[in-house]
Amino acid sequence: MTNPQPAELAAAMPYAARLGITIDEAAPERVTGSLAWEADLCTVGKTLHGGALMSLADAVGAACAYLNLPPGASTSTVESKTNFFRAARAGTVRATSRPLHMGRTFVVVQTDLHDDDNRLVAQTTQTQAVLPDSSRRAP
Ligand SMILES: CC(C)(COP(=O)(O)OP(=O)(O)OC[C@H]1O[C@@H](n2cnc3c(N)ncnc32)[C@H](O)[C@@H]1OP(=O)(O)O)[C@@H](O)C(=O)NCCC(=O)NCCSC(=O)Cc1ccccc1
């Protein structure tokens, strides 16, 4: 994809689409996305499941990494760490991803996840491999 639009990035990630994750803005220095979730994504404690939060962060973070790749390259997540600061209990969670490191062999992206009251609910730092031969891996 050359200069992909947010909808094109989202369409390339079927798992994220299945959860209801959208990509809202896409630029190399900042990608945003969101998840308007319902009770079927909750834990037993009726809060948004951490796996759903990590999925949102990974989708938006991977899109951010993708926009920072050299021509012809692709990427795959190889490490991800999330701190969960407070439970998400209702509404939409918004993700904002920014690149921390753009190397020849790996990219590191940080993603902040905020609730409807603009409180930081979680933060993810993920490492994305830079795969030079994009024909061997989908973005
Ligand atoms: C409760 C605590 C863990 C600790 O709180 P602290 O760090 O000491 O922070 P602080 O004192 O600043 O209070 C902050 C807020 O917390 C509230 N609060 C405090 N104590 C309690 C309490 N005993 N009970 C209830 N609530 C308590 C407190 O009232 C305040 O809210 P307020 O300002 O009043 O509205 C908090 O960090 C938290 O909820 N994190 C999110 C955890 C989460 O949602 N994980 C994902 C789901 S798990 C999963 O899916 C697994 C998985 C993961 C990945 C993959 C696969 C599976």
Side-chain angles (χ1 to χ4, degrees):
M1 288 186 276
T2 307
N3 300 320
Q5 296 299 304
E8 291 178 90
L9 289 165
M13 295 185 279
Y15 170 72
R18 172 71 178 80
L19 289 182
I21 292 167
T22 60
I23 302 293
D24 302 324
E25 301 168 67
E29 66 278 6
R30 181 175 180 269
V31 178
T32 66
S34 54
L35 173 60
W37 56 281
E38 298 194 13
D40 59 354
L41 294 186
C42 283
T43 66
V44 66
K46 296 185 170 47
T47 65
L48 181 58
H49 195 281
L53 284 162
M54 291 188 76
S55 295
L56 171 60
D58 184 76
V60 179
C64 183
Y66 181 76
L67 294 179
N68 285 281
L69 294 175
S74 187
T75 185
S76 186
T77 308
V78 294
E79 195 275 341
S80 181
K81 176 207 164 70
T82 298
N83 274 302
F84 300 100
F85 298 125
R86 62 168 52 244
R89 299 188 183 281
T92 298
V93 177
R94 291 171 292 101
T96 303
S97 298
R98 295 183 177 84
L100 294 181
H101 168 78
M102 292 172 283
R104 280 171 292 179
T105 59
F106 69 94
V107 173
V108 178
V109 176
Q110 180 172 293
T111 300
D112 292 337
L113 300 165
H114 289 91
D115 66 11
D116 280 338
D117 294 323
N118 208 30
R119 298 180 298 192
L120 185 66
V121 295
Q123 185 180 68
T124 298
T125 306
Q126 72 198 66
T127 304
Q128 298 280 146
V130 176
L131 305 171
D133 182 359
S134 63
S135 66
R136 298 183 60 196
R137 176 78 69 164

